[in-house]
Amino acid sequence: MFDLRDLYQQVIVDHNKHPRNFGKLSRYNHEADGYNPLCGDRLHVYLDIDASGRIADVSFEGEGCAISMASASLMTEAMKGRSVEEMREVFDAFQRMVTDDLDALPDEERLGKLTVLAGVREFPSRIKCATLCWHTLKAAADDTAEVVKTE
Amino acid sequence: MSIDVQRIRAEFPVLRQQVHGRDLVYLDNAATTQKPRAVIDALRRYYEHDNANVHRGVHALSERATAAYEGARASLRALLNARSVREIVFVRGATEGINLVASSWGGTHVGAGDEVLITGMEHHSNIVPWQMLCERVGATLKVLPIDQRGALCLDQLDALLSERTKLVGVVHLSNALGTINPVSEIIRRAHAVGAKVLIDGAQAVAHMPIDVQALDCDFYVTSAHKMYGPTGIGVLYAKEALLEAMPPYQGGGDMIRMVTFERTEYNELPYKFEAGTPNIAGAIGFAAAVAWLSAQGVERLAAHEQQLLDYATERAAACDGLRLIGTASRRATVLSFVLDGVHPHDLGTILDREGIAIRAGHHCAMPVMQHFGVPATARASFAAYNTREEVDALFAALAKARALFA
């Protein structure tokens, strides 16, 4: 039987309570809004990409459930210092992880600590909570003017 | 007189199941209620024996289907105590009923400079159609606010009403807060300035007796699926004189008396408002739900649900970190709340794993969430088949959720 603790791992509970990189960056050159109309989660991602295409800094603001808060917090930690190209690869790997078959193993090499969110694939109605921040990050990097919606 | 809950439960096949290895505790009744055997049987019987189109066929099946469909209309007339079956229009649900009124009556009776007054606790279905109407005709949408307990600020009603007010739209029983609104009083005061009144009874009809003549409302809408009936069918009650004067909402078959390419003569009431083949099976299932509800006695069921709500409210007061959203003095069926440190959506997931179905979200009443400064609430809502033990299960699961997030 699936244990709720598999979804709400201590790392997730901790990142929800104490989100990292929360708030507006003092210097940023990209930003985007994300909104999940189903549950009302709102996110704003700030991104500072340097001349070499590296994510010099990234932060987020917003409110939402533990899955969306923790996912955004973990994402900012994981993406700081990575190139935009790498970010796109991790984005794809993350999408795969949360929508894969239940017995598929996540791409640990690419995802690292982000694999704590693999449990959401057990909860179809919650996958969007985990992916909202990633879509918003990608929209920020692409300078998409429209609000990212998960619906 | 108290009810035999176990006997009632036995009539609902869906309740006899486990979810995630636990007995199902269904507390999402404000979203939709479960269906008793009598309703499921009525639908099956219709499709197995009587299925035919209504009003046109001369064969036996069509005559039986027509009799059953029109019999359903008579059941709804009796339930709501309308004067005539001509005042009973079948629609897809409360939402379509409101859209019909906004489009047909609103389109001809509300103009530039006029006002439509709704309240701060309306469901989106009683906001958006009026917004669309006001935008189209250049009218203004006004809102009667709610207070911190989730009751209407009635002291502000008269100031908001004027001869410009053409229609007042009020929810009878709030799906987000459980508040029962003093609709008789509102209708009386609205009529005093010449406004018509639409009551959104989507939540109310399963939980209290309704008498549209005593209320003197102009329009009353409700949905079958929130009162133990099937989805996709509901009813619009409107005073006959109003319906007579209203243009059709949709054109098509069944709503006509005579058609040429030059002009169409519309059918009599209520058929003028029922274009196309109606939801015949739905209406028959609706009638079975009305019969079931009437046989149980709405007041007896309501008394049982009130005991559950009182008990749940008492448990909530003793629950650390729980804040009730909606504490008006007159409430029914709905316990809406937020829990410190646990987002409603996480709560929904956690409770589901305990076999408990609740609703988490804005309950299609985003302005209510904005009023209380919360993005969403968790909502448990009770029906006739719920038990005290299920309330206990809810609070045991809430304690578990808090422990998980500690």
Side-chain angles (χ1 to χ4, degrees):
Chain A
M1 176 79 203
F2 188 90
D3 185 10
L4 274 170
R5 198 44 103 180
D6 293 345
L7 176 63
Y8 295 108
Q9 294 191 36
Q10 206 53 54
V11 180
I12 292 175
V13 171
D14 174 58
H15 273 261
N16 173 47
K17 257 196 209 162
H18 312 287
R20 323 295 198 263
N21 305 304
F22 192 84
K24 191 175 177 176
L25 289 182
S26 56
R27 219 192 71 173
Y28 59 91
N29 45 26
H30 300 266
E31 61 181 317
D33 263 319
Y35 178 52
N36 181 347
L38 188 70
C39 53
D41 286 0
R42 281 177 192 283
L43 282 181
H44 194 87
V45 168
Y46 300 94
L47 197 51
D48 182 22
I49 299 177
D50 67 20
S52 65
R54 197 181 58 94
I55 297 173
D57 211 348
V58 52
S59 76
F60 78 103
E61 285 178 325
E63 55 183 350
C65 65
I67 303 301
S68 72
M69 287 290 106
S71 183
S73 173
L74 285 157
M75 175 188 80
T76 57
E77 268 194 344
M79 288 300 100
K80 216 181 272 193
R82 309 283 282 271
S83 72
V84 171
E85 279 323 296
E86 281 177 298
M87 180 272 279
R88 293 184 198 283
E89 284 170 25
V90 180
F91 175 95
D92 291 338
F94 190 85
Q95 295 298 310
R96 269 198 304 280
M97 174 180 78
V98 295
T99 53
D100 243 345
D101 292 340
L102 297 183
D103 48 3
L105 289 174
D107 186 348
E108 293 234 19
E109 199 188 313
R110 277 227 165 82
L111 293 168
K113 200 175 171 185
L114 298 172
T115 56
V116 296
L117 283 155
V120 297
R121 62 172 90 161
E122 279 265 0
F123 299 83
S125 62
R126 305 303 302 277
I127 291 168
K128 285 170 180 167
C129 308
T131 57
L132 177 64
C133 59
W134 285 95
H135 287 288
T136 312
L137 175 68
K138 201 166 161 223
D142 295 342
D143 287 321
T144 308
E146 270 175 47
V147 176
V148 177
K149 290 203 183 80
T150 55
E151 292 297 288
Chain B
M1 202 170 71
S2 68
I3 60 168
D4 181 351
V5 185
Q6 290 311 320
R7 191 187 54 73
I8 287 179
R9 290 183 72 80
E11 294 187 51
F12 288 81
V14 82
L15 297 176
R16 284 194 297 278
Q17 66 174 296
Q18 294 208 318
V19 169
H20 304 304
R22 305 297 198 88
D23 287 342
L24 169 64
V25 174
Y26 187 80
L27 298 177
D28 195 16
N29 295 290
T32 195
T33 55
Q34 298 301 342
K35 320 305 172 198
R37 176 66 73 195
V39 169
I40 300 165
D41 284 350
L43 292 170
R44 207 190 50 234
R45 209 164 40 239
Y46 166 70
Y47 279 126
E48 287 183 357
H49 298 284
D50 304 329
N51 177 55
N53 211 329
V54 291
H55 299 149
R56 282 177 293 278
V58 292
H59 55 79
L61 266 58
S62 178
E63 282 170 1
R64 291 210 295 264
T66 303
Y69 181 69
E70 292 306 321
R73 198 186 307 278
S75 301
L76 266 302
R77 188 218 58 79
L79 182 80
L80 301 176
N81 193 33
R83 277 175 206 84
S84 155
V85 288
R86 294 164 60 82
E87 299 176 319
I88 301 294
V89 178
F90 283 123
V91 287
R92 275 192 296 142
T95 297
E96 191 180 40
I98 297 170
N99 276 279
L100 191 161
V101 175
S103 173
S104 170
W105 184 86
T108 45
H109 293 78
V110 181
D114 288 341
E115 292 173 2
V116 172
L117 177 63
I118 58 171
T119 84
M121 69 171 87
E122 298 309 310
H123 188 281
H124 296 162
S125 62
N126 204 20
I127 302 173
V128 183
W130 304 117
Q131 261 172 353
M132 289 162 65
L133 170 69
C134 288
E135 203 167 298
R136 189 155 58 85
V137 304
T140 305
L141 188 67
K142 297 255 177 171
V143 181
L144 177 65
I146 56 178
D147 64 20
Q148 278 313 305
R149 301 182 68 192
L152 292 176
C153 298
L154 273 190
D155 54 335
Q156 298 180 38
L157 178 61
D158 288 335
L160 284 161
L161 286 170
S162 73
E163 73 285 352
R164 287 186 303 277
T165 315
K166 296 300 163 202
L167 185 124
V168 178
V170 193
V171 66
H172 202 162
L173 165 53
S174 159
N175 74 310
L177 301 166
T179 310
I180 301 171
N181 286 317
V183 290
S184 290
E185 170 76 9
I186 294 168
I187 291 163
R188 197 178 53 72
R189 282 155 75 172
H191 281 172
V193 299
K196 302 297 180 206
V197 183
L198 178 142
I199 306 294
D200 170 6
Q203 290 297 332
V205 183
H207 306 286
M208 62 180 83
I210 307 295
D211 182 336
V212 290
Q213 291 190 62
L215 285 175
D216 195 29
C217 57
D218 301 286
F219 305 100
Y220 197 100
V221 297
T222 197
S223 296
H225 76 94
K226 292 187 199 285
M227 45 189 288
Y228 310 104
T231 53
I233 184 92
V235 74
L236 161 67
Y237 157 82
K239 286 179 179 166
E240 189 169 339
L242 293 170
L243 285 176
E244 281 291 1
M246 282 160 59
Y249 173 53
Q250 294 179 330
D254 227 22
M255 54 77 73
I256 51 90
R257 188 174 284 141
M258 211 265 296
V259 177
T260 65
F261 284 120
E262 286 68 43
R263 62 179 291 273
T264 292
E265 202 176 299
Y266 301 128
N267 204 342
E268 61 183 22
L269 292 179
Y271 310 111
K272 184 170 85 176
F273 294 101
E274 293 182 1
T277 295
N279 183 353
I280 305 163
I284 290 166
F286 197 175
V290 169
W292 186 85
L293 203 54
S294 305
Q296 308 302 319
V298 178
E299 278 162 312
R300 287 172 67 225
L301 300 183
H304 166 68
E305 292 158 6
Q306 197 61 49
Q307 282 174 2
L308 292 179
L309 181 61
D310 290 346
Y311 177 54
T313 305
E314 198 180 292
R315 293 283 317 251
C319 184
D320 209 22
L322 187 151
R323 176 187 162 208
L324 284 181
I325 303 294
T327 51
S329 53
R330 285 193 71 213
R331 284 192 304 136
T333 183
V334 170
L335 189 81
S336 205
F337 59 94
V338 289
L339 196 58
D340 248 4
V342 189
H343 191 280
H345 282 100
D346 295 310
L347 207 51
T349 295
I350 295 165
L351 264 52
D352 175 59
R353 291 283 147 167
E354 299 290 316
I356 303 171
I358 61 152
R359 175 77 181 267
H362 50 63
H363 317 297
C364 295
M366 283 184 177
V368 173
M369 302 298 117
Q370 291 149 14
H371 174 75
F372 285 97
V374 294
T377 75
R379 179 187 72 187
S381 49
F382 305 106
Y385 39 69
N386 289 125
T387 66
R388 206 176 152 90
E389 290 70 33
E390 290 181 316
V391 176
D392 289 332
L394 168 67
F395 282 92
L398 293 182
K400 243 183 196 177
R402 291 209 79 191
L404 194 66
F405 273 64

